[in-house]
Amino acid sequence: MYKIGKSNRAIIWLTVFLVFCIFVYMLRSVLLPFVAGIIIGYLLDPWASKFEKIGMNRTWATVTVMILVVLLLVPALFLLFGMIDEQLGAFLKVLPNYIGSLVKKIEPIALRLQDDFPSLQPDKIREYLSSNLGNGLKILVNLLRRVVTSGFAIVNVLSLLLITPVVAFYMLRDWDQFVAKVDSLLPKHSKKAIEKQAKEIDCILASFIRGQLSVCVLLGTFYGLGLYWVGLDLGILVGFLAGILSFIPYVGTISGFVVSLAIAFAQFDSWGPIAEVVGVFMVGQFLEGNFLTPKLVGDSIGLHPVWVMFALLAGGVLLGFLGLMMAVPLAAIIGVLVRHAIENYKQSSLYKD
């Protein structure tokens, strides 16, 4: 039997990794529904396993889980998109009034700046803000509305809806067989070490992805309903997006807070509703930091917020939305491999000598 040396093993694994990266990059335009299906299958696997424990076979457990997801998710998405489109339409109608109100509120600041800097001309500043700010906001809101309702977006969504559920069904049904097949292909010499690392990766992904997804949905629902209750235009849209973007540490909350505060400043004439908008985000942060994240995600998942942000940004730049979906799982895998590599290094003669 031909034996492969350690250096040759490293070359082989590095070659496999490079081929995999090239494969993903070349097929990035068609991989999105399949990656989405695999992730959905992974996320729903515990539900199917619970139905198996009560006596269902795997196929019927998979069918039951998929039906429950469709019954819960589809009406919620239709309701959400309908409310968002309604809010965008209403916001466009009152946008000119908000622009005028915002310019009036900024004018005292411009006058004060003129006292400090006499070369400034308030009339030109007012004219610039009225024209450019209004046009810019109109373009942005119209673009957002077209993205939500455009034929191209609908085609992309339909392609995901047609392919992703099929992939998710087969991945969920055959998940245990898939895991067993991969386990049988592991090299026998390092099988235990790989299985140990795989369990650690699975623990991190289960804690982070499933937990963080729950946190984002709950937080987005709270922000959306809270801002809607305050009476903020686009409150549901801004609040829900702020919650969903919370999977990027601090980015979702900060961006949602800034946008909400800007809309509130233009919309309301008194400080009470503006303070209520601030209160919604303060309560949301309190709930997230003290209840949602500790209970649903956990305190020690092994993924530092800076590492998560870097992985998401790098994945988005390299592969777009597909990269965003793959970023956290790959970050977890790399994090576990690096930790084990450091442990092996500290046990080696290179470190001890």
Side-chain angles (χ1 to χ4, degrees):
M1 182 182 296
Y2 176 72
K3 291 185 178 181
I4 302 175
K6 289 185 177 180
S7 59
N8 290 332
R9 289 179 194 170
I11 294 174
I12 290 173
W13 284 115
L14 181 60
T15 303
V16 171
F17 175 74
L18 290 176
V19 170
F20 172 77
C21 291
I22 294 172
F23 172 80
V24 170
Y25 185 78
M26 291 179 63
L27 299 179
R28 63 190 183 279
S29 59
V30 298
L31 285 178
L32 181 59
F34 299 94
V35 173
I38 293 172
I39 293 176
I40 291 172
Y42 172 77
L43 293 176
L44 299 180
D45 178 62
W47 290 15
S49 298
K50 288 181 180 179
F51 282 111
E52 275 190 298
K53 290 179 181 179
I54 63 175
M56 284 189 180
N57 62 41
R58 186 69 182 189
T59 300
W60 279 110
T62 301
V63 171
T64 303
V65 170
M66 297 295 288
I67 290 175
L68 289 175
V69 170
V70 170
L71 291 177
L72 291 173
L73 193 60
V74 172
L77 287 177
F78 274 107
L79 179 63
L80 178 64
F81 278 107
M83 296 177 71
I84 289 173
D85 185 58
E86 181 183 352
Q87 284 206 328
L88 287 173
F91 184 75
L92 280 174
K93 293 179 181 178
V94 296
L95 183 59
N97 297 331
Y98 289 166
I99 298 301
S101 174
L102 186 61
V103 170
K104 288 181 180 179
K105 292 175 180 177
I106 293 177
E107 187 174 359
I109 301 175
L111 292 174
R112 190 176 303 171
L113 286 174
Q114 189 189 23
D115 294 336
D116 298 330
F117 304 96
S119 60
L120 291 176
Q121 301 180 24
D123 293 336
K124 290 186 177 180
I125 294 176
R126 189 187 305 112
E127 182 181 353
Y128 177 82
L129 288 174
S130 299
S131 59
N132 291 280
L133 186 60
N135 292 334
L137 286 176
K138 283 184 178 179
I139 292 172
L140 181 61
V141 174
N142 276 318
L143 179 62
L144 185 59
R145 195 175 188 184
R146 287 178 183 177
V147 167
V148 173
T149 60
S150 68
F152 182 72
I154 293 174
V155 169
N156 286 336
V157 171
L158 286 177
S159 66
L160 284 174
L161 291 177
L162 291 174
I163 299 175
T164 301
V166 176
V167 177
F169 175 83
Y170 284 109
M171 289 302 302
L172 185 58
R173 190 194 67 176
D174 302 330
W175 188 265
D176 294 336
Q177 298 179 24
F178 176 75
V179 172
K181 187 66 175 179
V182 172
D183 185 69
S184 67
L185 297 175
L186 295 177
K188 295 182 179 180
H189 177 73
S190 53
K191 185 174 182 178
K192 290 184 178 180
I194 295 175
E195 288 178 343
K196 179 183 177 181
Q197 295 177 24
K199 289 180 180 178
E200 188 175 342
I201 292 169
D202 179 64
C203 181
I204 292 174
L205 290 179
S207 299
F208 187 85
I209 296 182
R210 295 188 182 114
Q212 192 64 47
L213 183 62
S214 301
V215 170
C216 289
V217 172
L218 291 174
L219 200 60
T221 303
F222 173 80
Y223 283 148
L225 293 178
L227 296 175
Y228 180 77
W229 176 77
V230 169
L232 185 74
D233 286 332
L234 296 182
I236 293 178
L237 175 61
V238 174
F240 191 74
L241 288 179
I244 295 301
L245 289 176
S246 294
F247 74 92
I248 308 175
Y250 310 113
V251 171
T253 300
I254 293 175
S255 60
F257 177 73
V258 171
V259 173
S260 298
L261 208 58
I263 295 175
F265 189 69
Q267 179 182 351
F268 302 117
D269 295 325
S270 61
W271 288 101
I274 297 176
E276 291 176 351
V277 170
V278 175
V280 168
F281 280 91
M282 290 180 65
V283 173
Q285 280 302 287
F286 176 79
L287 292 175
E288 180 189 8
N290 293 278
F291 297 99
L292 296 179
T293 298
K295 296 293 183 181
L296 298 176
V297 179
D299 298 323
S300 55
I301 58 171
L303 288 177
H304 195 277
V306 175
W307 176 231
V308 174
M309 283 191 285
F310 173 79
L312 289 168
L313 289 175
V317 170
L318 293 174
L319 298 173
F321 190 71
L322 175 64
L324 292 176
M325 296 182 66
M326 298 175 62
V328 173
L330 290 177
I333 293 172
I334 294 173
V336 171
L337 295 178
V338 169
R339 282 197 293 274
H340 281 273
I342 292 174
E343 291 177 4
N344 293 333
Y345 164 69
K346 288 184 176 181
Q347 298 296 324
S348 67
S349 59
L350 182 63
Y351 175 78
K352 293 180 179 180
D353 291 342

